[in-house]
Amino acid sequence: MASSTCTAPPPTVRGVHHFEIIGYRLIKGLSPGEYVRSGAFVVGGYRWSVRFYPGGFSPPHRAHVSAFLKITTNSARAWARFDLRLLDRATGLSRSVHRAAAPVVFDYSAAHKKCKGKRGARAFMPRAELEASPYLRGDRLTIECVVDVVVAAGEAVAPPPRRLRAPPPDLSKHLGDLLDQQDLADIAFHVGGEVFRAHKVVLATRSPVFMAELYGGMKEKGMERIAIDDVQPLVFGALIRFVYTDVLVLPGDLEGDDYKEMVRHLLEAADRYGVERLKLVCESILCRSLDGNTVETTLALADQHYCKALKDVCVQFMSLGL
């Protein structure tokens, strides 16, 4: 007599989280083992986060980017399927890159947190393939994580933690919207044939030079237009955007020497207007992108604009004969 068995899949609770990485260029130089992580999200009563290693999980994987899903609820042990995907923001479609078709254990107990607290792929995708793909647009990358947590029969799903958490800061978003809308703009900069409208109070708050020009002894009565002749429009636009949002946004089609040259000009503008955080961001980028063809130029730039950390890196680079 023939027989067969049908086993129903275990009941699960699904959650989807989008981890958006803005400013990929700023993190692509991280060393193997260094990562950025998403905010915490709750599925099936457990807290989770996504970890992304732009320099690879370890030195043997430095040619790849790595990605993992990690359970972050203390002393928790859960079974879950997961799918790490890349989202094409232009089409809204996502592609599965690494998935666990069957449930696997996530164990955050003291004995297992190193080996079973996170699951994913050390060779998630070759870095060169990712950077040439449609999933990296405008220096932004979105990882979509789909999690199916297994719920035992008759088990009630634990509710999310009741503790209220403050939402992520959104001041930079609102100021960025203000810059884009320009409804209350009260100053116009004429730069290389282009006009940049802005708000005096925002500029003065973020830059001591703008404060002096717009409200101090350097102020011209009734001044509403300022002509700037020695800064490229692309550079000035990136400077103003950073002043409002604290985020460096550069054109996505800049590559190689053109990208480095843009960063050098931006460092000069940041020093000129006293935007110290932008100056440090530019220093960091140039430190990570030194080569034999540009080190002397970069050293001269660092010396001229008092960038001690960048100068030290250039000197060390030259002393090692790299």
Side-chain angles (χ1 to χ4, degrees):
M1 180 179 66
S3 64
S4 62
T5 302
C6 176
T7 303
T12 59
V13 176
R14 169 166 290 192
V16 180
H17 181 77
H18 284 177
F19 177 26
E20 185 173 13
I21 299 168
I22 301 175
Y24 174 81
R25 290 180 186 273
L26 298 179
I27 66 168
K28 64 181 293 185
L30 292 180
S31 300
E34 295 182 316
Y35 62 86
V36 293
R37 65 184 175 187
S38 71
F41 56 98
V42 176
V43 183
Y46 303 98
R47 290 193 303 273
W48 309 83
S49 70
V50 176
R51 292 188 174 187
F52 178 70
Y53 297 72
F57 181 80
S58 61
H61 307 93
R62 65 173 67 248
H64 291 76
V65 297
S66 306
F68 291 85
L69 171 66
K70 181 177 178 64
I71 188 169
T72 60
T73 300
N74 288 333
S75 302
R77 190 172 190 273
W79 286 83
R81 294 191 301 266
F82 67 95
D83 191 359
L84 294 171
R85 311 175 65 89
L86 290 178
L87 182 69
D88 186 335
R89 294 186 299 114
T91 64
L93 302 177
S94 60
R95 165 195 167 187
S96 177
V97 180
H98 179 83
R99 63 189 293 264
V104 293
V105 66
F106 287 83
D107 194 336
Y108 197 73
S109 65
H112 297 97
K113 65 171 61 177
K114 288 186 178 180
C115 59
K116 292 185 179 178
K118 63 178 180 291
R119 301 280 189 167
R122 299 187 180 193
F124 184 69
M125 180 177 284
R127 184 179 299 103
E129 179 183 338
L130 172 65
E131 294 177 356
S133 74
Y135 304 108
L136 183 59
R137 294 176 182 267
D139 211 25
R140 294 188 178 192
L141 175 70
T142 300
I143 300 175
E144 181 181 73
C145 179
V146 182
V147 187
D148 292 293
V149 178
V150 175
V151 181
E155 177 183 344
V157 177
R162 299 180 65 86
R163 182 177 60 181
L164 295 178
R165 294 176 179 267
D170 58 3
L171 178 60
S172 63
K173 177 183 182 303
H174 291 164
L175 289 177
D177 292 343
L178 177 67
L179 178 62
D180 292 332
Q181 296 168 0
Q182 301 188 345
D183 292 343
L184 302 176
D186 54 3
I187 188 72
F189 296 91
H190 292 252
V191 186
E194 296 188 28
V195 178
F196 296 87
R197 301 185 183 280
H199 309 80
K200 294 179 183 179
V201 66
V202 177
L203 301 179
T205 300
R206 298 277 284 160
S207 162
V209 177
F210 280 129
M211 173 67 81
E213 288 185 353
L214 302 177
Y215 291 103
M218 297 171 61
K219 174 187 175 185
E220 297 179 15
K221 186 176 181 180
M223 179 176 57
E224 295 182 353
R225 298 182 180 181
I226 296 179
I228 298 178
D229 300 323
D230 50 355
V231 179
Q232 299 175 9
L234 197 61
V235 173
F236 191 79
L239 170 73
I240 295 297
R241 176 68 57 180
F242 188 91
V243 165
Y244 275 73
T245 67
D246 222 28
V247 175
L248 176 57
V249 179
L250 297 178
D253 57 352
L254 281 179
E255 299 289 346
D257 292 341
D258 291 338
Y259 178 77
K260 296 175 187 177
E261 186 68 13
M262 172 73 173
V263 174
R264 292 191 195 96
H265 287 309
L266 199 50
L267 186 148
E268 293 175 339
D271 186 47
R272 168 178 172 175
Y273 288 99
V275 186
E276 289 301 318
R277 177 168 165 75
L278 176 58
K279 183 178 174 182
L280 289 173
V281 170
C282 292
E283 281 190 72
S284 177
I285 295 173
L286 293 174
C287 281
R288 298 198 303 266
S289 60
L290 277 180
D291 58 51
N293 295 324
T294 61
V295 63
E296 292 185 2
T297 302
T298 303
L299 177 59
L301 180 74
D303 189 54
Q304 180 181 357
H305 295 281
Y306 307 100
C307 303
K308 184 179 184 305
L310 180 58
K311 183 177 179 179
D312 290 345
V313 171
C314 289
V315 171
Q316 182 180 17
F317 187 98
M318 296 173 72
S319 66
L320 294 175
L322 298 176

